[in-house]
Amino acid sequence: MRRTRRNATPAYQRIQQAILRQIESGQLKPGDAVHSERELARIHGVSLMTARHGLSVLEREGVVVRRRGSGTFVGLPKIHFNKLASFTEEMAARGLQVTSKVLSFDVVATEQEAVARLALASDTRVIKFERLRFGGNEPFALETCFLCADDFAGLTREALERGSLFSILKYDYGIDLSYSDEEIDATSPSLSTARSLKLTAGVPALRIRQVIYSTKSRPVMYVLGLYRSDRYRLMVRRYR
Amino acid sequence: MRRTRRNATPAYQRIQQAILRQIESGQLKPGDAVHSERELARIHGVSLMTARHGLSVLEREGVVVRRRGSGTFVGLPKIHFNKLASFTEEMAARGLQVTSKVLSFDVVATEQEAVARLALASDTRVIKFERLRFGGNEPFALETCFLCADDFAGLTREALERGSLFSILKYDYGIDLSYSDEEIDATSPSLSTARSLKLTAGVPALRIRQVIYSTKSRPVMYVLGLYRSDRYRLMVRRYR
DNA sequence: AAGTGGTCTAGACCACGGC
DNA sequence: CCGTGGTCTAGACCACTTC
């Protein structure tokens, strides 16, 4: 059987990408049937289990719907459930330009909650910074970010203002992110927060507390986000 | 090789249940190593792929954490991410008694948004009812529920007051639910809603709009929920 | 070096849906 | 009936972590 070279993209991911390309190019529209598992296996020269593995991830993201006895079909457009994306990526998906303003940047030693969520010793110093996030010149969210100060010693305010945090982690620190655990509720923003977000008083905000983990299952950062509820909503899929 | 009888619980689910039992019984604590994939395969007399399949679902729910080269470990206790549970089940997990009060129950023909979300023809009549949900005598949420009136003709207010909606669907209509797609934001509840939830004016609520699908991928019900943010928060895991 | 999880094969049978 | 997705086998090699 054909062998793949080491360290290449796994076959099941190549199959996913092939399907995503077909959807993005308009070749497949919502409701259309995707190639069957057996066809995908034959087309890509892989076994049935491998083709199935590729589809299963796309299904959990809502990209495709599988119906036993019937087939696999393209899901509703532009909805990706339970997908951890950077703010930059989310806005790009909506065709909006992102800008960010770093409101503060400090190293602090008294952030008990953040330190606990990052599973660090209680006296650990953390980098703390606040960013106001704009999509197409409109404020969307105020994010407060915490990272272990020792692990990310070289991280500066200037770097943050230049590029996206996700890429800094990847290219400067070799850290790939894999998932985030999030706690979501609603809150009345403080006066200063409301002013930053240009919210009229009394309008609620969506509060998302997320702990983001690396591919090695280590907590990397804790983010407290306050989102304008009229501009941003969370899409989630839950399973029985 | 040993054959399983038809229509039995799949092997990968039996493996999941075995692990969940070990955790619930206290035999395994957070951080403890679960049996390795090869051990599980041997213990349950299945192949490696089957044991892996079982673990992968538990991993996506946050029950276990897998670390390549190292092992599989029990995750943090009592947190099940992205799990579609009935209100009754969620409260039971917290040890709270559930009561519900049906505030209204009608068949209506003018609910455009609900009809659209259920993918029904625009003139379809739907059952619409509101329930106030209590956990341990405290109001948690106000839910407005919509179902196709033709498909659930026998559904009455009395049945709702007796038992949980999920079990009515299962035992009276033979419908098993499989997942829900949800849209989450924050809102200021109306005066009457605030009164029902015993909220002081101006306190925000978490708004969850969910479309719940059957195992046959058909939308079954649309639920608009307003949750007291101080008593309820949503736990979600998102993937890169 | 030994053990772990991650990818993959080349088949098999079952359950279900639509024609 | 045939094609679909769902479950499953009995192996293989790779990449990684721990010792």
Side-chain angles (χ1 to χ4, degrees):
Chain A
M1 196 54 232
R2 180 141 39 95
R3 296 269 105 232
T4 332
R5 73 178 176 292
R6 294 168 300 262
N7 278 323
T9 308
Y12 73 90
Q13 287 179 25
R14 282 187 277 116
I15 294 172
Q16 287 170 25
Q17 289 160 10
I19 293 172
L20 286 172
R21 268 197 304 275
Q22 288 182 311
I23 295 173
E24 277 161 29
S25 74
Q27 194 180 333
L28 286 176
K29 297 203 186 322
D32 287 356
V34 176
H35 286 127
S36 78
E37 300 177 346
R38 286 164 181 81
E39 283 169 340
L40 284 173
R42 188 176 44 74
I43 292 169
H44 293 88
V46 299
S47 89
L48 193 52
M49 287 298 271
T50 302
R52 279 183 57 71
H53 187 185
L55 282 179
S56 72
V57 177
L58 292 182
E59 179 180 37
R60 288 197 86 92
E61 292 176 358
V63 176
V64 300
V65 179
R66 299 211 263 197
R67 273 192 280 274
R68 169 189 277 212
S70 168
T72 302
F73 304 88
V74 178
L76 295 178
K78 290 271 173 198
I79 302 181
H80 285 213
F81 296 101
N82 305 357
K83 193 85 185 152
L84 173 60
S86 69
F87 187 77
T88 311
E89 290 162 348
E90 291 207 15
M91 289 299 111
R94 297 204 221 171
L96 290 177
Q97 195 70 30
V98 170
T99 50
S100 292
K101 195 164 137 191
V102 181
L103 300 183
S104 71
F105 188 100
D106 300 290
V107 175
V108 293
T110 55
E111 292 288 346
Q112 304 218 13
E113 193 203 343
V115 162
R117 294 204 188 236
L118 292 172
L120 298 169
S122 64
D123 58 347
T124 312
R125 295 175 328 137
V126 292
I127 300 172
K128 168 184 181 175
F129 56 87
E130 290 176 295
R131 290 192 291 179
L132 191 55
R133 309 289 232 144
F134 297 84
N137 296 322
E138 300 289 345
F140 268 67
L142 179 67
E143 283 183 358
T144 313
C145 232
F146 302 87
L147 300 98
C148 173
D150 288 340
D151 294 352
F152 300 96
L155 187 61
T156 63
R157 181 170 188 147
E158 290 67 37
L160 276 179
E161 270 158 353
R162 271 202 308 278
S164 108
L165 181 52
F166 277 32
S167 24
I168 292 174
L169 290 179
K170 183 175 175 63
Y171 296 110
D172 295 357
Y173 296 92
I175 291 176
D176 281 300
L177 303 177
S178 71
Y179 66 94
S180 71
D181 288 343
E182 317 194 352
E183 211 178 302
I184 295 122
D185 62 2
T187 188
S188 286
S190 70
L191 266 181
S192 70
T193 302
R195 202 159 347 160
S196 295
L197 288 172
K198 290 190 193 157
L199 276 174
T200 45
V203 174
L206 192 66
R207 175 166 55 190
I208 303 181
R209 296 176 169 102
Q210 56 178 182
V211 180
I212 307 184
Y213 294 84
S214 72
T215 46
K216 306 197 195 286
S217 305
R218 289 229 325 148
V220 174
M221 55 194 280
Y222 169 54
V223 186
L224 197 171
L226 293 170
Y227 291 82
R228 276 191 62 141
S229 193
D230 52 348
R231 301 214 169 111
Y232 183 88
R233 53 194 52 181
L234 193 60
M235 305 295 291
V236 165
R237 176 169 287 184
R238 289 200 272 177
Y239 307 89
R240 193 85 175 113
Chain B
M1 194 54 232
R2 180 140 39 93
R3 294 272 103 230
T4 331
R5 72 177 176 292
R6 294 170 299 263
N7 277 325
T9 309
Y12 74 90
Q13 287 179 22
R14 282 187 278 116
I15 294 172
Q16 288 170 24
Q17 288 160 11
I19 294 171
L20 286 172
R21 269 198 304 275
Q22 289 182 309
I23 294 173
E24 276 162 29
S25 73
Q27 194 180 332
L28 286 176
K29 297 201 186 323
D32 287 356
V34 176
H35 287 127
S36 77
E37 301 177 345
R38 287 163 182 81
E39 282 169 339
L40 285 172
R42 188 176 46 74
I43 292 169
H44 292 89
V46 300
S47 90
L48 193 52
M49 286 298 271
T50 303
R52 280 183 57 71
H53 187 186
L55 282 179
S56 73
V57 177
L58 293 182
E59 179 181 36
R60 289 198 83 93
E61 291 176 358
V63 175
V64 300
V65 179
R66 298 212 265 196
R67 271 193 281 275
R68 170 189 280 216
S70 165
T72 302
F73 305 88
V74 179
L76 294 178
K78 291 271 174 198
I79 304 181
H80 284 212
F81 296 100
N82 305 355
K83 193 87 187 149
L84 173 60
S86 71
F87 187 77
T88 311
E89 290 162 347
E90 291 208 15
M91 290 299 111
R94 297 204 221 172
L96 290 176
Q97 196 68 31
V98 171
T99 51
S100 292
K101 197 165 136 192
V102 181
L103 300 183
S104 71
F105 188 100
D106 299 290
V107 175
V108 291
T110 54
E111 291 289 345
Q112 305 220 12
E113 193 203 344
V115 162
R117 294 204 187 236
L118 292 172
L120 298 169
S122 63
D123 58 347
T124 311
R125 294 174 330 137
V126 292
I127 300 172
K128 168 184 181 177
F129 56 87
E130 290 176 295
R131 290 191 291 179
L132 191 55
R133 309 290 232 142
F134 297 84
N137 296 321
E138 300 288 347
F140 268 67
L142 180 66
E143 284 183 357
T144 313
C145 236
F146 301 88
L147 299 98
C148 174
D150 289 339
D151 294 351
F152 300 96
L155 188 61
T156 64
R157 181 171 187 145
E158 290 68 38
L160 276 180
E161 269 157 354
R162 270 201 308 279
S164 108
L165 180 53
F166 277 31
S167 25
I168 293 174
L169 291 179
K170 182 175 175 63
Y171 296 110
D172 295 357
Y173 296 92
I175 291 177
D176 280 301
L177 304 177
S178 71
Y179 67 93
S180 71
D181 288 342
E182 317 195 353
E183 210 177 302
I184 295 122
D185 61 2
T187 187
S188 285
S190 72
L191 266 181
S192 71
T193 302
R195 202 159 349 163
S196 295
L197 289 172
K198 291 190 192 157
L199 275 174
T200 45
V203 174
L206 192 65
R207 175 165 55 190
I208 304 181
R209 298 177 169 101
Q210 54 179 183
V211 180
I212 307 184
Y213 294 84
S214 73
T215 45
K216 305 198 196 293
S217 306
R218 289 227 326 147
V220 174
M221 55 194 281
Y222 169 54
V223 186
L224 197 171
L226 293 171
Y227 291 81
R228 275 190 63 139
S229 192
D230 52 346
R231 299 211 171 114
Y232 183 87
R233 54 194 51 185
L234 192 61
M235 303 296 290
V236 164
R237 176 169 287 186
R238 289 199 273 177
Y239 307 89
R240 193 78 177 119

